[in-house]
Amino acid sequence: MQENRKPLLSNRQIEVLGLILIVVSVLFTLSLASYSERDELLMNHHGLIDNSMGIAGVFISYFLIKLGVGYFAWGFIPILLAWGVFVLFKIDKKILKRSTWFSFGLIFLLSILFSIDKVAETGLQYSSGFIPGGLVGGSIAYLLSDWIGVAPSIIIIITSILILISGFFRFSLTAPIRSLKNGKRVKKADLPEEMRPVKTKKEPRIKKKKIKEHKKIIDAPGDILDAIRKPLPETEQTEDPKSAPIKAIVKPRITTTPVTKNERPSKKQVFDNKPYILPSTDLLIEAPISSSYNEEELQRKATLLTETLPKYGVDGKVVRILPGPVITLYEVAPGEGVRVNKFTNLSNDIARVMAAKHVRIIAPIPGRTVVGVEIPNNDPEMIYFHSIVNSKKYRESKSLLSIAVGKTAEGIPYIFELDKMPHLLVAGTTGSGKSVCINTIIMSILYRATPEEVKFILIDPKKIELSIYKALEPYHLITSVDIDEYVITNAQNAILALRSALVEMDSRYDKLASITVRSIYEYNAKMKALNEPIMPFIVVVIDELADLMSNPATRTDIELPIQRLAQMSRAVGIHLVIATQRPSVDVITGLIRSNIPARIAFNVATRIDSRTILDTGGAEMLLGKGDMLFLPPGRPQPIRIHNAYLTLEEIEKVLSHIKRQPKNEDEFILPTAIEPEPIDEINGTGNVNGGNDALFDEAMKLVILHQQGSASLLQRRLKVGYSRAGRLIDELEEAGIVGPSNGSKAREVFAGPEYLDHLRSIENDPVDEDDE
């Protein structure tokens, strides 16, 4: 925990100091402007003084000019005025400090230079004549001229002035000489046409900014701000502010290296002697050059945040700022003895003070000793899909299912591999960016895989979100013979598709077992070695689960296949991406949540919805328009990511390119779905053809063998709910197996084990109808 040092001056005292400096500079100007040597004589004889500031002005001008640096004392006036303005308006003083030292050095050297010739003739008898550089400049000039002579002294002073100027303006003294070394430059127009250089398209140059040993320090009054720090690159670890010196590092935005066409894998598979060419990033909208951070705006918000916390009884200080494209993370070090849970209740109050839509508080940041306050930027940037696909991390990823999802809060491209998740749940309200995220996932896979490597099952009950991908049929999209559409839009076809996926899963496990491998990766490696067709990945995308789960009659038929696929399909390369805009417990059931560990939450209405998706709050504080929280498997806290934006025109261009590529003419067809057992239309409990429950025989055997007619027994042994167990008891009562209800006691069982023997004998020796 860092110690909160008390500021030397308050804000009001600093403003008063700045105003005093401005007034002093004006008074010094009046004193020097009205300086006259006659005033010095009149002051001794009590005569009329011409100086505008009277006797004080005579003393000031006499001290600066005669005893100081001569008329070069005028150089102190703009320096004093500038310091007054910078202090009064709390402007960053880094440039001013550097300029002040340069001005002092230049004034000092000029006072010596212009005094050498004078003191060489008259010495330091300044009372009999005026020395241009004053007593300070004249004394040093006298010593130099006496020791090394006038000419060498002039050479040394001029050389020092050149070194000072070149160091301040950062230019090379030998650059003009080197440019003349090669003689006159020949113009391109004077060369013959065949000797003229050919113009080549230059790749955009990536500027690299060196981090100097002395880092940029931002001066702020008191405890307003200690540092503004840009996030470190992906390979570096951020230091703890307690152990590292708090200094400001202002870096340019993290840019991605452009990918040329030659760097893209152009040949994945060959069909009819024609290579399949993956889509180029030229089809996407290129992200504009990012603007630099507004350092003054960051400092203003840090000031406001630090001053706001004590008003609500929380002692804390901003120690570091991590700017990003959409939000900025302000790290606050709590005071000694301050509990972090006090910060969590201040999100709405801080949002009001900052005039922000939402403010999210991370208390504390995992692995750190500080609390994070995420505040939206005034001018958020758009995250383009082009910049994520062009990132080094995406290019170097080995997985065919690498997803270029977007950028983190610090502006670093974020990539995850769907096959390692292995399934993904996406939830968010209307307009939060959920459908764009689905497009980003599909497009990320299309940018890496051919139709022979990845197939899609697209289920779109809304009929409009995924309809654009009909252009991929029938090679990228798969269906079964029972379904008459590639982009599935109704519940019955969705049930058939999920059941077909289950049959395909079981078939794939049989194939893996036949050649003694354990995963699709080992299977494909063996098939490639034998030059045999590989097993493609299958990505099942359901855009709106709530529409499929809304019908009670089909709810179980949707939920159970999803549950089984989520449990078993990873090893055979079948992965689920399920999206819903109604993240309630009746849609995202416990079975679904427990089997899908990777989840994405966009903006939701309430904290309860956020807990339903992520098991924690925070999604209700998101900004919308692609702002999301991503919870990977095995991570305790979600990661804030800004989803990349894709336009409809970009998707159409990529799909048109894919449609022109050569493909294998053999169409991949899912196996026929196993027909589900007919369900009773009245109660939906598994009653066959309107008769007894499908578990009636099992329930009867349990009740007779245990001689206990209770619903709790059936619940435990048959693993059914209380309502179905109660209905089974009622059916047993109608059949005469158990007696009527007896309060809280178990019902009496009328049949014994001999009744079961009688039923078995009937099954083994059925009565022939002809005998009757």
Side-chain angles (χ1 to χ4, degrees):
M1 192 70 65
Q2 295 187 354
E3 183 182 357
N4 292 328
R5 293 174 295 179
K6 188 175 180 180
L8 297 177
L9 296 175
S10 64
N11 289 342
R12 173 176 288 183
Q13 290 172 333
I14 290 173
E15 292 176 358
V16 171
L17 176 60
L19 186 61
I20 290 174
L21 291 175
I22 295 174
V23 173
V24 170
S25 66
V26 174
L27 295 178
F28 277 21
T29 303
L30 295 175
S31 174
L32 294 178
S34 58
Y35 169 72
S36 174
E37 292 187 26
R38 190 175 66 87
D39 289 342
E40 300 174 12
L41 301 175
L42 294 176
M43 184 176 63
N44 296 330
H45 298 85
H46 304 284
L48 183 62
I49 296 176
D50 295 332
N51 196 293
S52 302
M53 284 188 60
I55 297 177
V58 174
F59 275 109
I60 291 172
S61 57
Y62 178 80
F63 177 80
L64 292 177
I65 295 176
K66 282 293 187 68
L67 301 181
V69 291
Y71 275 119
F72 295 103
W74 278 96
F76 296 128
I77 304 299
I79 296 175
L80 198 59
L81 178 62
W83 271 96
V85 173
F86 273 59
V87 170
L88 178 62
F89 295 101
K90 303 179 182 65
I91 304 174
D92 180 21
K93 306 175 191 65
K94 180 185 177 183
I95 299 177
L96 182 60
K97 289 179 181 179
R98 192 164 172 268
S99 302
T100 301
W101 286 113
F102 169 74
S103 301
F104 281 161
L106 188 61
I107 291 171
F108 178 70
L109 291 174
L110 288 176
S111 67
I112 299 173
L113 179 64
F114 283 90
S115 300
I116 289 179
D117 188 46
K118 183 76 172 178
V119 298
E121 297 177 0
T122 63
L124 291 176
Q125 301 298 323
Y126 59 91
S127 58
S128 60
F130 173 66
I131 300 177
L135 180 61
V136 174
S139 300
I140 299 176
Y142 179 75
L143 292 175
L144 289 175
S145 62
D146 189 30
W147 288 0
I148 60 177
V150 176
S153 299
I154 293 175
I155 293 173
I156 292 174
I157 297 302
I158 292 176
T159 304
S160 301
I161 292 174
L162 290 176
I163 294 173
L164 181 66
I165 294 174
S166 66
F168 180 76
F169 292 103
R170 293 189 176 95
F171 67 85
S172 175
L173 296 174
T174 61
I177 300 175
R178 289 199 305 267
S179 63
L180 296 175
K181 184 178 179 181
N182 298 326
K184 185 180 178 181
R185 181 172 293 180
V186 181
K187 297 181 179 179
K188 295 179 183 178
D190 298 334
L191 293 173
E193 186 174 353
E194 62 273 7
M195 296 180 62
R196 295 178 186 176
V198 180
K199 285 186 178 181
T200 58
K201 185 178 180 181
K202 287 186 176 181
E203 295 294 332
R205 187 175 180 183
I206 301 173
K207 296 181 180 179
K208 294 183 179 179
K209 199 169 184 180
K210 295 182 179 179
I211 303 175
K212 299 184 179 180
E213 292 296 328
H214 62 285
K215 306 200 186 294
K216 181 175 181 181
I217 301 176
I218 295 178
D219 294 312
D223 64 346
I224 292 177
L225 179 61
D226 280 330
I228 296 175
R229 193 166 192 176
K230 184 69 180 67
L232 299 177
E234 301 175 43
T235 57
E236 299 181 16
Q237 298 292 331
T238 55
E239 298 179 355
D240 191 276
K242 184 176 181 180
S243 59
I246 305 301
K247 295 184 179 180
I249 304 176
V250 181
K251 295 182 182 178
R253 287 279 168 88
I254 296 176
T255 57
T256 55
T257 306
V259 181
T260 61
K261 290 183 179 180
N262 294 331
E263 291 176 339
R264 295 290 302 171
S266 60
K267 189 174 182 181
K268 296 287 286 186
Q269 285 156 342
V270 178
F271 306 103
D272 298 330
N273 297 323
K274 295 180 181 179
Y276 185 99
I277 301 175
L278 293 175
S280 169
T281 53
D282 295 338
L283 302 173
L284 303 174
I285 299 175
E286 189 172 355
I289 299 175
S290 301
S291 60
S292 59
Y293 301 119
N294 188 339
E295 197 170 315
E296 295 181 4
E297 181 66 22
L298 296 177
Q299 182 175 351
R300 185 189 67 81
K301 287 189 176 181
T303 302
L304 190 57
L305 178 59
T306 304
E307 293 177 345
T308 299
L309 293 176
K311 297 178 181 178
Y312 295 97
V314 177
D315 184 18
K317 180 176 64 174
V318 176
V319 294
R320 189 166 63 170
I321 302 177
L322 281 75
V326 178
I327 65 166
T328 298
L329 175 62
Y330 295 80
E331 294 186 355
V332 180
E336 200 68 38
V338 176
R339 300 175 64 90
V340 293
N341 60 2
K342 290 186 176 181
F343 288 88
T344 58
N345 300 325
L346 297 179
S347 59
N348 293 332
D349 298 310
I350 295 176
R352 179 188 61 82
V353 173
M354 296 292 178
K357 182 179 179 181
H358 291 296
V359 170
R360 179 170 171 260
I361 295 179
I362 310 171
I365 297 177
R368 304 291 303 280
T369 60
V370 294
V371 173
V373 180
E374 295 178 340
I375 300 176
N377 296 340
N378 292 341
D379 298 315
E381 290 187 11
M382 178 73 72
I383 307 298
Y384 289 86
F385 185 66
H386 180 279
S387 63
I388 313 302
V389 175
N390 258 353
S391 65
K392 180 180 179 182
K393 192 172 183 180
Y394 181 79
R395 298 198 315 268
E396 294 180 351
S397 178
K398 304 299 182 183
S399 173
L400 293 173
L401 303 183
S402 297
I403 308 301
V405 64
K407 289 185 178 181
T408 63
E410 294 83 8
I412 302 173
Y414 190 87
I415 313 297
F416 70 85
E417 297 175 356
L418 182 60
D419 51 336
K420 293 182 180 179
M421 295 295 106
H423 311 289
L424 183 63
L425 178 63
V426 183
T429 57
T430 303
S432 60
K434 174 176 53 65
S435 297
V436 176
C437 180
I438 295 296
N439 290 329
T440 302
I441 293 171
I442 296 175
M443 291 287 287
S444 298
I445 297 174
L446 294 178
Y447 257 85
R448 298 191 67 88
T450 68
E452 302 304 309
E453 294 170 330
V454 177
K455 305 287 185 181
F456 292 94
I457 299 176
L458 301 184
I459 301 176
D460 181 19
K462 293 190 290 186
K463 303 181 181 181
I464 56 174
E465 297 295 345
L466 303 179
S467 60
I468 189 174
Y469 295 104
K470 290 180 180 179
L472 296 176
E473 62 185 41
Y475 301 107
H476 263 299
L477 305 184
I478 57 175
T479 186
S480 69
V481 294
D482 305 319
I483 304 173
D484 57 354
E485 55 184 353
Y486 281 93
V487 179
I488 299 166
T489 58
N490 64 74
Q492 291 301 324
N493 284 345
I495 294 173
L496 293 176
L498 292 174
R499 290 183 178 274
S500 296
L502 286 176
V503 178
E504 172 68 16
M505 180 186 71
D506 294 334
S507 173
R508 290 188 170 202
Y509 270 111
D510 293 338
K511 290 181 181 179
L512 265 59
S514 65
I515 61 172
T516 63
V517 294
R518 296 180 298 175
S519 68
I520 186 174
Y521 305 102
E522 297 177 8
Y523 179 88
N524 286 343
K526 281 196 174 184
M527 292 299 103
K528 288 179 180 178
L530 299 173
N531 199 20
E532 295 288 337
I534 63 173
M535 182 183 294
F537 288 91
I538 297 178
V539 179
V540 182
V541 180
I542 303 176
D543 185 53
E544 187 47 68
L545 181 64
D547 287 351
L548 301 177
M549 300 281 285
S550 59
N551 186 357
T554 60
R555 180 189 182 92
T556 304
D557 293 325
I558 294 292
E559 184 179 5
L560 294 182
I562 290 176
Q563 175 194 355
R564 189 157 180 259
L565 286 171
Q567 288 174 338
M568 299 182 59
S569 63
R570 174 180 183 173
V572 293
I574 301 177
H575 304 280
L576 302 175
V577 178
I578 301 174
T580 180
Q581 66 180 7
R582 200 178 75 196
S584 55
V585 291
D586 59 333
V587 175
I588 306 176
T589 63
L591 291 176
I592 294 176
R593 289 174 66 251
S594 61
N595 290 288
I596 304 181
R599 303 165 199 168
I600 289 178
F602 289 90
N603 181 245
V604 295
T606 64
R607 185 178 178 86
I608 296 175
D609 292 340
S610 176
R611 295 182 66 87
T612 302
I613 309 166
L614 303 173
D615 298 326
T616 184
E620 74 280 3
M621 294 296 179
L622 297 178
L623 305 176
K625 296 183 179 180
D627 192 19
M628 67 181 185
L629 292 176
F630 175 51
L631 183 64
R635 187 181 177 94
Q637 293 292 333
I639 307 169
R640 190 164 187 175
I641 300 174
H642 310 300
N643 188 215
Y645 180 66
L646 265 172
T647 63
L648 190 62
E649 291 76 11
E650 290 176 287
I651 298 175
E652 289 175 345
K653 288 180 181 179
V654 174
L655 296 183
S656 298
H657 169 83
I658 293 175
K659 204 169 183 179
R660 293 193 299 267
Q661 302 307 308
K663 303 172 185 68
N664 192 344
E665 296 299 328
D666 297 333
E667 185 178 353
F668 187 96
I669 301 295
L670 286 173
T672 303
I674 299 177
E675 289 293 334
E677 190 179 51
I679 298 176
D680 188 284
E681 296 182 357
I682 297 176
N683 52 33
T685 58
N687 292 6
V688 180
N689 299 324
N692 289 331
D693 193 290
L695 297 177
F696 177 82
D697 292 340
E698 293 293 330
M700 179 180 63
K701 292 177 183 178
L702 284 172
V703 168
I704 292 176
L705 290 175
H706 290 81
Q707 289 295 300
Q708 180 183 354
S710 67
S712 60
L713 172 67
L714 301 183
Q715 282 183 269
R716 293 194 306 271
R717 294 305 181 96
L718 300 179
K719 297 181 180 179
V720 296
Y722 179 79
S723 58
R724 189 173 182 183
R727 284 192 293 269
L728 285 169
I729 291 293
D730 292 339
E731 291 177 5
L732 291 173
E733 181 184 357
E734 294 177 1
I737 304 299
V738 298
S741 175
N742 191 18
S744 59
K745 297 181 180 180
R747 299 186 186 218
E748 183 181 359
V749 181
F750 295 144
E754 63 276 1
Y755 182 69
L756 295 178
D757 296 336
H758 172 69
L759 293 178
R760 292 193 194 98
S761 63
I762 294 176
E763 291 176 358
N764 296 332
D765 188 20
V767 178
D768 195 343
E769 293 181 357
D770 295 337
D771 294 341
E772 293 181 356

